Amino acid sequence: KAIAQHYENKLITLEDGSVLMGSIIYQSDKEVIIRDSSLGGKERKARMDKVQRIKPMPSLMPAGLVDQLATRAEFLDLAKFVSVLGKPGPYANVESPVIRKWAVASSESAKIPTREESWQTAYSLVNGNLPDHELGNLKMAFARGFVEVRASGPIQLKLNGTQGLRLWLDDKEIKDLSSAFELRPGTRRFTFSIDREARKSKGLRVEITPAPASEARFQPKGGT
């Protein structure tokens, strides 16, 4: 049975025989960073050329979760959800750096809402897709996510289509969504405007990857 990524613990064995245990918060071809549960959640990193193997450990999902369910219907819903985790489809596990936590707003206008109360929190599915039904019922929707950048460098976006999308990085519009662009260290704000008619109910999935030879290191806030 597959375990939802955010609850999955990893055991990383290095070539010198030492081990790291915990949840991976960043991984690339060059390095892996783990929140080590044996050190109280301290971040540790290792070069990938020093990693001998990475294997899953027992789930971090809270024990006694079933005991907290109030009705049989809730239990059946949970059982159905767990049964499809890891299988192809909307609940497939994804270990790519995707934005999962969003602030969303909707409007009849193409102008980005400025009132804080216009924005509501929404979350992507396990496969990284923010469903269309989370985007409201108006013509235009807006989705805002944040990425913590540890080291600067060019990155690329993998989107589930660019139809009906515009993107602002902080306050600057990114005109070409298919080309690489630079990320600077700090917390960067990604704001998408979404023409819902043009998107045709596709929702929004945003995966961020380093461009070839890039030294960029980053982590979407709210999970990978």
Side-chain angles (χ1 to χ4, degrees), residues 43-61:
E43 290 187 12
R44 299 178 66 188
K45 65 180 179 179
R47 288 167 40 188
M48 288 301 294
D49 60 2
K50 300 295 184 182
V51 173
Q52 190 174 68
R53 64 178 176 272
I54 301 176
K55 66 178 184 179
M57 293 180 66
S59 173
L60 295 174
M61 190 171 289

PDB file of all heavy atoms in Angstrom, residues 43-61:
ATOM      1  N   GLU A  43      17.734  19.850   9.695  1.00  0.00           N
ATOM      2  CA  GLU A  43      18.001  19.607   8.282  1.00  0.00           C
ATOM      3  C   GLU A  43      19.436  19.114   8.083  1.00  0.00           C
ATOM      4  O   GLU A  43      20.379  19.666   8.646  1.00  0.00           O
ATOM      5  CB  GLU A  43      17.781  20.883   7.460  1.00  0.00           C
ATOM      6  CG  GLU A  43      16.328  21.289   7.346  1.00  0.00           C
ATOM      7  CD  GLU A  43      16.127  22.459   6.399  1.00  0.00           C
ATOM      8  OE1 GLU A  43      17.077  22.800   5.660  1.00  0.00           O
ATOM      9  OE2 GLU A  43      15.029  23.036   6.403  1.00  0.00           O
ATOM     10  N   ARG A  44      19.575  18.055   7.287  1.00  0.00           N
ATOM     11  CA  ARG A  44      20.892  17.535   6.920  1.00  0.00           C
ATOM     12  C   ARG A  44      20.903  17.317   5.415  1.00  0.00           C
ATOM     13  O   ARG A  44      19.859  17.062   4.805  1.00  0.00           O
ATOM     14  CB  ARG A  44      21.177  16.217   7.645  1.00  0.00           C
ATOM     15  CG  ARG A  44      21.198  16.343   9.158  1.00  0.00           C
ATOM     16  CD  ARG A  44      21.442  14.990   9.811  1.00  0.00           C
ATOM     17  NE  ARG A  44      22.780  14.483   9.505  1.00  0.00           N
ATOM     18  CZ  ARG A  44      23.189  13.251   9.817  1.00  0.00           C
ATOM     19  NH1 ARG A  44      22.356  12.412  10.415  1.00  0.00           N
ATOM     20  NH2 ARG A  44      24.416  12.852   9.526  1.00  0.00           N
ATOM     21  N   LYS A  45      22.070  17.425   4.817  1.00  0.00           N
ATOM     22  CA  LYS A  45      22.147  17.222   3.377  1.00  0.00           C
ATOM     23  C   LYS A  45      23.305  16.298   3.034  1.00  0.00           C
ATOM     24  O   LYS A  45      24.262  16.146   3.798  1.00  0.00           O
ATOM     25  CB  LYS A  45      22.283  18.549   2.633  1.00  0.00           C
ATOM     26  CG  LYS A  45      23.562  19.326   2.879  1.00  0.00           C
ATOM     27  CD  LYS A  45      23.545  20.616   2.065  1.00  0.00           C
ATOM     28  CE  LYS A  45      24.800  21.452   2.304  1.00  0.00           C
ATOM     29  NZ  LYS A  45      24.780  22.687   1.490  1.00  0.00           N
ATOM     30  N   ALA A  46      23.181  15.667   1.874  1.00  0.00           N
ATOM     31  CA  ALA A  46      24.218  14.759   1.396  1.00  0.00           C
ATOM     32  C   ALA A  46      24.316  14.882  -0.115  1.00  0.00           C
ATOM     33  O   ALA A  46      23.315  15.135  -0.797  1.00  0.00           O
ATOM     34  CB  ALA A  46      23.889  13.319   1.784  1.00  0.00           C
ATOM     35  N   ARG A  47      25.514  14.722  -0.629  1.00  0.00           N
ATOM     36  CA  ARG A  47      25.707  14.712  -2.076  1.00  0.00           C
ATOM     37  C   ARG A  47      25.160  13.411  -2.641  1.00  0.00           C
ATOM     38  O   ARG A  47      25.353  12.339  -2.074  1.00  0.00           O
ATOM     39  CB  ARG A  47      27.189  14.850  -2.409  1.00  0.00           C
ATOM     40  CG  ARG A  47      27.747  16.231  -2.153  1.00  0.00           C
ATOM     41  CD  ARG A  47      29.258  16.254  -2.196  1.00  0.00           C
ATOM     42  NE  ARG A  47      29.824  15.422  -3.272  1.00  0.00           N
ATOM     43  CZ  ARG A  47      31.123  15.169  -3.398  1.00  0.00           C
ATOM     44  NH1 ARG A  47      31.974  15.670  -2.510  1.00  0.00           N
ATOM     45  NH2 ARG A  47      31.571  14.418  -4.393  1.00  0.00           N
ATOM     46  N   MET A  48      24.472  13.501  -3.786  1.00  0.00           N
ATOM     47  CA  MET A  48      23.864  12.310  -4.366  1.00  0.00           C
ATOM     48  C   MET A  48      24.904  11.282  -4.794  1.00  0.00           C
ATOM     49  O   MET A  48      24.627  10.082  -4.788  1.00  0.00           O
ATOM     50  CB  MET A  48      22.981  12.694  -5.556  1.00  0.00           C
ATOM     51  CG  MET A  48      21.680  13.390  -5.160  1.00  0.00           C
ATOM     52  SD  MET A  48      20.635  12.396  -4.065  1.00  0.00           S
ATOM     53  CE  MET A  48      20.197  11.035  -5.151  1.00  0.00           C
ATOM     54  N   ASP A  49      26.119  11.726  -5.148  1.00  0.00           N
ATOM     55  CA  ASP A  49      27.136  10.751  -5.540  1.00  0.00           C
ATOM     56  C   ASP A  49      27.690   9.988  -4.339  1.00  0.00           C
ATOM     57  O   ASP A  49      28.454   9.034  -4.501  1.00  0.00           O
ATOM     58  CB  ASP A  49      28.266  11.414  -6.333  1.00  0.00           C
ATOM     59  CG  ASP A  49      28.992  12.503  -5.546  1.00  0.00           C
ATOM     60  OD1 ASP A  49      28.652  12.733  -4.366  1.00  0.00           O
ATOM     61  OD2 ASP A  49      29.902  13.128  -6.118  1.00  0.00           O
ATOM     62  N   LYS A  50      27.293  10.403  -3.121  1.00  0.00           N
ATOM     63  CA  LYS A  50      27.688   9.688  -1.907  1.00  0.00           C
ATOM     64  C   LYS A  50      26.558   8.804  -1.369  1.00  0.00           C
ATOM     65  O   LYS A  50      26.750   8.080  -0.390  1.00  0.00           O
ATOM     66  CB  LYS A  50      28.097  10.686  -0.815  1.00  0.00           C
ATOM     67  CG  LYS A  50      29.269  11.594  -1.198  1.00  0.00           C
ATOM     68  CD  LYS A  50      30.550  10.803  -1.386  1.00  0.00           C
ATOM     69  CE  LYS A  50      31.728  11.733  -1.668  1.00  0.00           C
ATOM     70  NZ  LYS A  50      32.988  10.976  -1.906  1.00  0.00           N
ATOM     71  N   VAL A  51      25.374   8.895  -1.999  1.00  0.00           N
ATOM     72  CA  VAL A  51      24.222   8.119  -1.540  1.00  0.00           C
ATOM     73  C   VAL A  51      24.266   6.724  -2.151  1.00  0.00           C
ATOM     74  O   VAL A  51      24.343   6.564  -3.372  1.00  0.00           O
ATOM     75  CB  VAL A  51      22.904   8.820  -1.915  1.00  0.00           C
ATOM     76  CG1 VAL A  51      21.707   7.923  -1.595  1.00  0.00           C
ATOM     77  CG2 VAL A  51      22.781  10.143  -1.168  1.00  0.00           C
ATOM     78  N   GLN A  52      24.206   5.717  -1.285  1.00  0.00           N
ATOM     79  CA  GLN A  52      24.210   4.332  -1.747  1.00  0.00           C
ATOM     80  C   GLN A  52      22.806   3.866  -2.093  1.00  0.00           C
ATOM     81  O   GLN A  52      22.577   3.249  -3.124  1.00  0.00           O
ATOM     82  CB  GLN A  52      24.825   3.433  -0.674  1.00  0.00           C
ATOM     83  CG  GLN A  52      25.101   2.007  -1.126  1.00  0.00           C
ATOM     84  CD  GLN A  52      25.839   1.216  -0.057  1.00  0.00           C
ATOM     85  OE1 GLN A  52      25.283   0.915   0.999  1.00  0.00           O
ATOM     86  NE2 GLN A  52      27.093   0.903  -0.321  1.00  0.00           N
ATOM     87  N   ARG A  53      21.844   4.183  -1.220  1.00  0.00           N
ATOM     88  CA  ARG A  53      20.454   3.830  -1.516  1.00  0.00           C
ATOM     89  C   ARG A  53      19.508   4.669  -0.658  1.00  0.00           C
ATOM     90  O   ARG A  53      19.883   5.169   0.401  1.00  0.00           O
ATOM     91  CB  ARG A  53      20.190   2.338  -1.288  1.00  0.00           C
ATOM     92  CG  ARG A  53      20.348   1.863   0.142  1.00  0.00           C
ATOM     93  CD  ARG A  53      20.010   0.371   0.266  1.00  0.00           C
ATOM     94  NE  ARG A  53      20.236  -0.125   1.614  1.00  0.00           N
ATOM     95  CZ  ARG A  53      21.392  -0.593   2.058  1.00  0.00           C
ATOM     96  NH1 ARG A  53      22.436  -0.636   1.244  1.00  0.00           N
ATOM     97  NH2 ARG A  53      21.511  -1.024   3.298  1.00  0.00           N
ATOM     98  N   ILE A  54      18.280   4.800  -1.151  1.00  0.00           N
ATOM     99  CA  ILE A  54      17.199   5.475  -0.432  1.00  0.00           C
ATOM    100  C   ILE A  54      16.011   4.523  -0.415  1.00  0.00           C
ATOM    101  O   ILE A  54      15.582   4.038  -1.461  1.00  0.00           O
ATOM    102  CB  ILE A  54      16.789   6.798  -1.110  1.00  0.00           C
ATOM    103  CG1 ILE A  54      17.980   7.760  -1.183  1.00  0.00           C
ATOM    104  CG2 ILE A  54      15.629   7.449  -0.368  1.00  0.00           C
ATOM    105  CD1 ILE A  54      17.677   9.051  -1.918  1.00  0.00           C
ATOM    106  N   LYS A  55      15.498   4.241   0.771  1.00  0.00           N
ATOM    107  CA  LYS A  55      14.345   3.346   0.838  1.00  0.00           C
ATOM    108  C   LYS A  55      13.328   3.881   1.840  1.00  0.00           C
ATOM    109  O   LYS A  55      13.677   4.610   2.777  1.00  0.00           O
ATOM    110  CB  LYS A  55      14.767   1.929   1.201  1.00  0.00           C
ATOM    111  CG  LYS A  55      15.342   1.751   2.594  1.00  0.00           C
ATOM    112  CD  LYS A  55      15.683   0.269   2.839  1.00  0.00           C
ATOM    113  CE  LYS A  55      16.163   0.033   4.267  1.00  0.00           C
ATOM    114  NZ  LYS A  55      16.460  -1.399   4.505  1.00  0.00           N
ATOM    115  N   PRO A  56      12.054   3.541   1.644  1.00  0.00           N
ATOM    116  CA  PRO A  56      11.008   4.035   2.550  1.00  0.00           C
ATOM    117  C   PRO A  56      11.072   3.363   3.904  1.00  0.00           C
ATOM    118  O   PRO A  56      11.523   2.228   4.049  1.00  0.00           O
ATOM    119  CB  PRO A  56       9.713   3.693   1.816  1.00  0.00           C
ATOM    120  CG  PRO A  56      10.070   2.553   0.929  1.00  0.00           C
ATOM    121  CD  PRO A  56      11.498   2.762   0.532  1.00  0.00           C
ATOM    122  N   MET A  57      10.607   4.105   4.919  1.00  0.00           N
ATOM    123  CA  MET A  57      10.469   3.584   6.273  1.00  0.00           C
ATOM    124  C   MET A  57       8.989   3.609   6.643  1.00  0.00           C
ATOM    125  O   MET A  57       8.157   4.048   5.848  1.00  0.00           O
ATOM    126  CB  MET A  57      11.292   4.439   7.244  1.00  0.00           C
ATOM    127  CG  MET A  57      12.797   4.341   7.031  1.00  0.00           C
ATOM    128  SD  MET A  57      13.707   5.357   8.202  1.00  0.00           S
ATOM    129  CE  MET A  57      13.315   4.516   9.744  1.00  0.00           C
ATOM    130  N   PRO A  58       8.614   3.156   7.839  1.00  0.00           N
ATOM    131  CA  PRO A  58       7.198   3.164   8.227  1.00  0.00           C
ATOM    132  C   PRO A  58       6.583   4.550   8.139  1.00  0.00           C
ATOM    133  O   PRO A  58       7.255   5.561   8.277  1.00  0.00           O
ATOM    134  CB  PRO A  58       7.229   2.658   9.677  1.00  0.00           C
ATOM    135  CG  PRO A  58       8.458   1.814   9.740  1.00  0.00           C
ATOM    136  CD  PRO A  58       9.459   2.501   8.845  1.00  0.00           C
ATOM    137  N   SER A  59       5.286   4.594   7.938  1.00  0.00           N
ATOM    138  CA  SER A  59       4.559   5.842   7.738  1.00  0.00           C
ATOM    139  C   SER A  59       4.642   6.770   8.939  1.00  0.00           C
ATOM    140  O   SER A  59       4.651   6.331  10.085  1.00  0.00           O
ATOM    141  CB  SER A  59       3.086   5.526   7.459  1.00  0.00           C
ATOM    142  OG  SER A  59       2.326   6.705   7.421  1.00  0.00           O
ATOM    143  N   LEU A  60       4.659   8.086   8.639  1.00  0.00           N
ATOM    144  CA  LEU A  60       4.563   9.114   9.678  1.00  0.00           C
ATOM    145  C   LEU A  60       3.119   9.554   9.912  1.00  0.00           C
ATOM    146  O   LEU A  60       2.863  10.449  10.703  1.00  0.00           O
ATOM    147  CB  LEU A  60       5.390  10.343   9.264  1.00  0.00           C
ATOM    148  CG  LEU A  60       6.901  10.128   9.161  1.00  0.00           C
ATOM    149  CD1 LEU A  60       7.538  11.395   8.613  1.00  0.00           C
ATOM    150  CD2 LEU A  60       7.508   9.740  10.478  1.00  0.00           C
ATOM    151  N   MET A  61       2.158   8.927   9.213  1.00  0.00           N
ATOM    152  CA  MET A  61       0.757   9.304   9.385  1.00  0.00           C
ATOM    153  C   MET A  61       0.342   9.054  10.827  1.00  0.00           C
ATOM    154  O   MET A  61       0.666   8.019  11.398  1.00  0.00           O
ATOM    155  CB  MET A  61      -0.130   8.506   8.431  1.00  0.00           C
ATOM    156  CG  MET A  61      -1.561   9.006   8.386  1.00  0.00           C
ATOM    157  SD  MET A  61      -2.516   8.220   7.074  1.00  0.00           S
ATOM    158  CE  MET A  61      -1.781   8.972   5.631  1.00  0.00           C
TER     159      MET A  61
END
